[in-house]
Amino acid sequence: MKLTAALLLTSLSIQTAALAENWPNWRGPNQDGSSSETGLPVKFSPTEGVKWAADVPGIAASVPVIWGDNVFITAPIAAEKKLVALCYDKQTGKEKWRVTISEGDEVQWDDKSNLASPSAATDGDRVYFLFANAIAAACDFSGKIVWKRDFKETHGAFATQWTYGSSPTIDSGKLYIQVLQRNETFKFQDKFEKGTPGKDLSSYILAIDPANGKDLWKQIRPSTAKIESLEAFSSPVFTTYKDQRLMLISGGDTLTIHDAATGKEFSRVATWNPPGEGYNSFFRLVPSPVVGDGMAIVCAPKNSPIFAIPLDAKGETQPVWQTEPKGVTSDVPTPAFYKGKFYVLDGGKKILSCVEPKTGKVVWTGELGGKTKFESSPTVADDKVYCINFWGEVYVAKANTDKFELLGMNEMGDGSKPNGNAASVRASISVSDSSLFIRTQDKLYRVGK
């Protein structure tokens, strides 16, 4: 009888592990910041509700990427001038392996971020890492490097003033890398060369064979934007609409929709920054596009409106709706989509809003509180929205409701409260196996009931 019960428990444990949803890239299994996982906690702390806590060798904005019993992150090790890929055991938090992908370079190019900002991506066979110095590698799940590339040799250094932060994305058997950059070389802080003389400095999307790292195609993405407005730190987003696999790219003062298989452009938003109108300033774009209910939205920079177009739009098109000036907006966090609604985090004002996709109607808006900014993106699962700020404070709000309700705040940081942007928590929260995976200044936590 005892043996039968033990076998039953083992079988249930295996089934539960098999059903756990992976978090294979920066914005999760649906590429919209949401997960179908349930049983997630509201109240927790570094000593309460923590299944394990692992030390990480350096702070970075890259999120925990999860497949099966593997949790992958990237990190800088400033003292050793190394950029590393790491794998942790999802069940125990034990570090399985650590691989140096790049060494000998500075790991910090500005005071706000470092070269380990892009998140990893995985297809279950290999895990793919990209760093802001244009070096990428694929590893198998044992930590062996399958291939490695320095894109500076073939396509040139990334020509962005602030540290490049777009994450690679795996979709339909291809690895995609987005480079929206300035169209000229320049030096940043009179020290770092941005762009490579003699290389084509057009903005582009690159499709790569994930098995060997070789280029499949390169799609040039033209833009009428100028100077810093050409730069974007968003990542490609993919979705299927009317049996067509689409790729969405935001930046260069526009949102474009492409054929994911070939890169061919189908449509774009008429620029939100026309010459002589609006603010017409030159600002980089950070948020990625988000898809929901047949609509795609993009957040224009620096407290400008959100713009929406239908996924079947063709050619240059005007938005079907946009939020009011000084209304719902996001400068850095990418919104999430969950159960028919967009969730938009204004990280500077510390305000969370729920928005209807078809009309742009604001269902509710509420203040999260706190004294520091949010630059990570909201994660939504189990009818809860999780937002983590610079200090590592995790705010939990109710989702799938007709009014704002703040459920709680949990301090997960190391206790330091840096001035400005130094050593700030920027990694969004990942979800898998009824647990939250939270990266703070020096720890990676698995938190669950």
Side-chain angles (χ1 to χ4, degrees):
M1 186 71 176
K2 289 182 179 179
L3 179 60
T4 302
L7 289 172
L8 178 60
L9 285 172
T10 300
S11 175
L12 288 172
S13 176
I14 292 171
Q15 291 178 46
T16 301
L19 292 172
E21 192 168 43
N22 296 312
W23 193 274
N25 53 59
W26 173 54
R27 290 306 277 157
N30 308 309
Q31 299 190 35
D32 60 6
S34 76
S35 171
S36 62
E37 291 283 343
T38 58
L40 298 173
V42 171
K43 185 179 180 182
F44 45 90
S45 74
T47 58
E48 179 184 4
V50 171
K51 291 181 177 290
W52 51 256
D55 293 329
V56 296
I59 190 171
S62 54
V63 310
V65 164
I66 304 161
W67 193 282
D69 279 339
N70 303 284
V71 183
F72 305 101
I73 64 167
T74 62
I77 305 179
E80 301 175 17
K81 292 188 176 181
K82 289 182 178 180
L83 297 168
V84 299
L86 300 105
C87 177
Y88 297 86
D89 187 294
K90 187 174 76 171
Q91 302 305 326
T92 65
K94 179 182 178 181
E95 183 178 314
K96 288 185 173 183
W97 49 260
R98 177 185 302 203
V99 177
T100 298
I101 305 297
S102 176
E103 58 185 325
D105 292 330
E106 298 286 344
V107 301
Q108 192 91 20
W109 283 355
D110 61 61
D111 63 349
K112 297 183 179 181
S113 54
N114 57 56
L115 276 62
S117 292
S119 299
T122 183
D123 52 13
D125 292 323
R126 293 169 291 269
V127 56
Y128 308 92
F129 302 97
L130 173 67
F131 295 90
N133 60 356
I135 294 177
C139 295
D140 64 20
F141 276 26
S142 69
K144 179 183 176 181
I145 294 179
V146 178
W147 57 260
K148 183 176 174 180
R149 281 189 65 178
D150 186 342
F151 290 103
K152 293 189 290 295
E153 297 172 356
T154 50
H155 301 287
F158 302 151
T160 59
Q161 174 172 287
W162 307 110
T163 305
Y164 176 89
S166 300
S167 295
T169 307
I170 280 281
D171 189 81
S172 303
K174 298 182 181 70
L175 175 65
Y176 295 84
I177 292 176
Q178 169 189 306
V179 182
L180 301 193
Q181 60 184 346
R182 297 198 192 187
N183 53 12
E184 60 185 3
T185 60
F186 62 99
K187 277 196 173 181
F188 179 61
Q189 296 179 340
D190 294 324
K191 183 178 181 182
F192 300 106
E193 186 73 32
K194 297 303 186 83
T196 301
K199 297 291 187 182
D200 182 4
L201 286 167
S202 301
S203 292
Y204 61 92
I205 296 88
L206 200 63
I208 294 168
D209 186 334
N212 55 33
K214 295 181 179 179
D215 293 354
L216 296 172
W217 49 255
K218 181 179 183 178
Q219 175 70 28
I220 301 299
R221 186 180 182 271
S223 169
T224 59
K226 305 294 182 184
I227 318 174
E228 190 177 337
S229 286
L230 288 164
E231 302 179 19
F233 303 86
S234 54
S235 300
V237 168
F238 296 83
T239 191
T240 298
Y241 188 71
K242 295 182 178 179
D243 298 323
Q244 174 76 56
R245 194 63 177 168
L246 303 174
M247 173 177 68
L248 289 85
I249 306 291
S250 58
D253 288 345
T254 188
L255 165 69
T256 51
I257 301 178
H258 305 252
D259 178 357
T262 66
K264 177 184 176 182
E265 183 178 314
F266 289 146
S267 61
R268 66 170 51 206
V269 173
T271 178
W272 55 69
N273 192 17
E277 299 181 29
Y279 55 82
N280 196 36
S281 297
F282 302 119
F283 294 131
R284 84 291 176 267
L285 187 80
V286 180
S288 299
V290 190
V291 171
D293 199 13
M295 302 295 291
I297 65 168
V298 61
C299 304
K302 299 293 183 182
N303 303 314
S304 294
I306 296 173
F307 297 88
I309 62 170
L311 291 175
D312 56 3
K314 299 299 179 184
E316 186 171 287
T317 183
Q318 295 292 330
V320 295
W321 59 259
Q322 67 182 69
T323 53
E324 296 292 329
K326 299 182 180 180
V328 175
T329 183
S330 175
D331 179 48
V332 176
T334 293
F337 179 77
Y338 179 78
K339 291 187 178 180
K341 300 291 189 298
F342 290 120
Y343 293 86
V344 183
L345 173 60
D346 183 335
K349 294 181 180 177
K350 302 174 279 292
I351 290 174
L352 183 68
S353 300
C354 177
V355 179
E356 290 185 352
K358 293 292 189 184
T359 65
K361 177 184 175 182
V362 180
V363 178
W364 51 253
T365 293
E367 295 184 5
L368 295 178
K371 295 182 179 180
T372 189
K373 292 176 66 176
F374 296 81
E375 287 194 353
S376 65
S377 300
T379 298
V380 195
D382 195 25
D383 291 340
K384 304 175 186 72
V385 189
Y386 295 91
C387 306
I388 185 168
N389 67 15
F390 276 179
W391 294 347
E393 298 170 339
V394 180
Y395 289 77
V396 187
K398 191 171 180 59
N400 195 29
T401 182
D402 57 3
K403 64 179 181 179
F404 174 74
E405 182 180 349
L406 184 63
L407 300 175
M409 188 277 284
N410 308 279
E411 296 189 15
M412 296 298 295
D414 64 1
S416 65
K417 294 181 168 50
N419 294 322
N421 299 311
S424 301
V425 176
R426 285 184 170 82
S428 305
I429 295 171
S430 304
V431 177
S432 179
D433 206 1
S434 296
S435 298
L436 307 173
F437 292 80
I438 301 171
R439 182 177 188 172
T440 63
Q441 293 92 337
D442 59 352
K443 298 286 185 184
L444 175 62
Y445 293 96
R446 178 177 175 179
V447 176
K449 291 182 179 178

